[in-house]
């Protein structure tokens, strides 16, 4: 399934272009909003939803190879934590060692917690009353991933894959419908306090994961019915998706394109060959550390390039930083991450003693 790595590579490219050329950080970038109207850039954030589809598919296959819920969660922590710890250390040190512009300013030591624990800052605010913010805004997706692992893994091992998938879909529908239903029936607004923790964890996005999981089962069984169901859930997730600030028609179209491309990639051999090209495979291989580093570090390195090379065309300003971050991500993926994983593995996944 090399095309899955290609989809990862495609997704990280669109997300990185959106962050470093799009409108989100216009006040910090030398070119402002000059490239925001370019379709791949202006709607590049939808690469995150592609990541969710991929995760749903891959995690379903991972669950089938695990001994139980504890084994599964330990394996996922072993997959996520090393790169997160390394990227967090790099980003924190770069913040502290330079006086470069960043969206949220210099971080505090407590700001390392949400990334290293994979717990949303909202829970630290609500439960411990700590003034904590995430080290990098993109880390919110990891909080969503871990919530998905916990719910899907528990349901999978307790009730089977069908209930697990239905649980994901039901969770998404319930959170999407909660606020409109409360408003419609005139329920006290305090009812929404029960919903808020699930909104912090983005349960409303769980339809994407459910679609990916059903695609995995369809591929495993060769079922056309499951394939159609997975495609329908992906499209439904795109159609009902809502953002806090609303969503414009081009963004809605981009979400639908994500659903269609992922669906087509399951069975269209020509698309699979394109996605299996070595540049996309390489980007897919380093996509996780690259995702963790590209945003704030990319912005700060772009600022360095603009200062050092003031005559450089603005369209080229983010490229040296992205190249450097790409090389650093390669080193993390091939050297630092495996080394840390080897240290942690005996503690998280002790070898079972052979039966007497």
């Amino acid at each position: 399934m090399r095309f899955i790595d290609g989809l990862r590579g495609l997704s990280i490219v669109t997300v990185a272009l959106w962050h470093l050329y799009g409108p989100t950080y216009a006040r910090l970038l030398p070119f402002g909003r000059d490239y925001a109207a370019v379709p791949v850039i202006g709607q590049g954030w939808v690469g995150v939803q592609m990541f969710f589809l991929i995760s749903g598919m891959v995690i379903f296959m991972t669950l089938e190879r695990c001994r139980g819920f504890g084994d599964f969660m330990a394996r996922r922590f072993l997959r996520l934590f090393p790169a997160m710890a390394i990227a967090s250390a790099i980003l924190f040190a770069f913040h502290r060692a330079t006086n470069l512009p960043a969206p949220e300013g210099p971080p505090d030591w407590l700001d390392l917690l949400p990334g290293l624990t994979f717990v949303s800052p909202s829970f630290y605010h609500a439960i411990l009353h700590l003034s904590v913010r995430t080290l990098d805004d993109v880390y919110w997706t990891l909080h969503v991933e871990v919530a998905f692992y916990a719910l899907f893994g528990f349901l999978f091992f307790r009730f089977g894959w069908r209930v697990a998938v239905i649980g994901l879909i039901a969770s998404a529908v319930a959170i999407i419908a909660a606020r409109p239903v409360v408003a419609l029936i005139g329920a006290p607004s305090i009812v929404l306090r029960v919903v808020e923790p699930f909104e912090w964890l983005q349960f409303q996005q769980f339809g994407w994961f459910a679609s990916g999981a059903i695609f995995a089962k369809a591929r495993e069984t060769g079922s056309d019915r499951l394939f159609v169901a997975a495609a329908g859930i992906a499209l439904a997730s795109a159609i009902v998706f809502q953002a806090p600030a609303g969503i414009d028609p081009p963004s809605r179209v981009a979400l639908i394109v994500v659903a269609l491309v992922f669906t087509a990639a399951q069975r269209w051999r020509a698309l699979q060959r394109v996605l299996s090209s070595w540049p996309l495979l390489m980007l897919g291989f380093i996509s996780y550390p690259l995702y963790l580093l590209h945003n704030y570090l990319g912005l700060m390195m772009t600022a360095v390039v603009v200062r050092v090379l003031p005559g450089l065309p603005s369209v080229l300003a983010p490229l040296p930083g992205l190249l450097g971050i790409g090389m650093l991500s390669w080193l993390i993926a091939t050297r630092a991450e495996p080394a840390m994983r080897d240290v942690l593995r005996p503690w998280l996944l002790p070898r079972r003693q052979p039966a007497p």
Side-chain angles (χ1 to χ4, degrees):
M1 293 176 61
R2 291 159 62 88
F3 71 91
I4 290 293
D5 276 334
L7 285 171
R8 283 195 182 100
L10 184 64
S11 299
I12 189 57
V13 167
T14 61
V15 172
L17 289 177
W18 180 65
H19 279 134
L20 298 181
Y21 286 97
T24 305
Y25 305 120
R27 63 185 176 85
L28 300 174
L29 295 169
F31 39 80
R33 297 176 175 270
D34 292 352
Y35 305 105
V38 179
V40 176
I41 294 173
Q43 285 75 45
W45 59 270
V46 301
V48 168
Q49 278 61 49
M50 181 69 81
F51 277 128
F52 289 164
L53 284 166
I54 294 169
S55 185
M57 188 171 194
V58 172
I59 292 305
F60 185 91
M61 294 184 290
T62 302
L63 283 164
E64 294 187 318
R65 298 194 298 268
C66 292
R67 297 191 299 268
F69 180 69
D71 181 56
F72 166 68
M73 293 300 289
R75 290 178 184 278
R76 296 320 300 163
F77 184 81
L78 192 61
R79 172 69 180 91
L80 296 182
F81 182 78
M84 173 62 83
I86 296 164
S88 295
I90 292 170
L91 188 55
F92 187 84
F94 198 86
H95 266 298
R96 285 301 187 94
T98 65
N99 191 29
L100 295 170
E104 302 296 335
D108 188 73
W109 287 99
L110 283 176
D111 298 335
L112 288 165
L113 284 175
L116 296 178
T117 60
F118 303 103
V119 175
S120 170
S122 299
F123 288 96
Y124 287 105
H125 299 161
I127 298 172
L128 301 178
H129 305 291
L130 291 176
S131 179
V132 178
R133 57 183 172 86
T134 188
L135 196 61
D136 191 312
D137 280 349
V138 302
Y139 293 178
W140 72 267
T141 60
L142 277 302
H143 307 147
V144 180
E145 285 273 345
V146 172
F148 156 62
Y149 298 160
L151 177 63
F152 193 53
F154 171 77
L155 293 176
F156 182 92
F157 287 111
R158 183 67 178 83
F159 301 106
W161 74 269
R162 290 182 178 84
V163 171
V165 168
I166 292 170
L168 291 178
I169 297 170
S171 299
V173 171
I175 300 306
I176 290 170
R179 290 186 180 274
V181 168
V182 166
L184 180 64
I185 65 176
S189 59
I190 195 172
V191 173
L192 294 176
R193 297 300 296 272
V194 178
V195 176
E196 283 179 356
F198 301 101
E199 291 178 329
W200 299 339
L201 293 173
Q202 297 281 318
F203 271 42
Q204 57 269 34
Q205 305 251 22
F206 279 12
W208 299 101
F209 296 110
S211 173
I214 300 173
F215 272 123
K217 193 64 178 180
R219 187 177 183 85
E220 178 185 294
T221 61
S223 170
D224 290 335
R225 186 179 64 176
L226 287 176
F227 179 82
V228 171
I233 293 169
L235 283 171
S237 298
I239 291 168
V240 303
F241 182 91
Q242 292 297 329
I247 184 168
D248 57 9
S251 295
R252 183 74 66 196
V253 171
L255 287 166
I256 293 172
V257 168
V258 164
L260 294 176
V261 168
F262 192 83
T263 299
Q266 304 302 312
R267 295 192 175 182
W268 188 9
R269 296 297 178 85
L271 180 57
Q272 289 178 1
R273 286 194 293 270
V274 171
L275 292 170
S276 299
S277 61
W278 74 263
L280 287 178
L281 290 179
M282 181 194 67
L283 287 166
F285 175 67
I286 65 172
S287 60
Y288 181 40
L290 182 57
Y291 179 80
L292 296 176
L293 290 172
H294 81 276
N295 187 33
Y296 284 4
L297 189 59
L299 287 168
M300 291 185 285
M301 293 182 74
T302 300
V304 171
V305 170
V306 170
R307 289 183 186 180
V308 175
L309 301 171
L312 188 72
S314 64
V315 70
L316 300 178
L319 297 184
L322 277 175
L323 179 61
I325 294 169
M327 295 172 65
L328 181 58
S329 299
W330 177 267
L331 290 173
I332 292 172
T334 57
R335 297 289 187 269
E337 188 179 0
M340 183 178 287
R341 192 175 291 126
D342 287 343
V343 171
L344 294 174
R345 182 176 285 109
W347 297 91
L348 291 170
L349 297 171
R351 291 184 179 180
R352 290 185 295 178
Q353 295 297 321

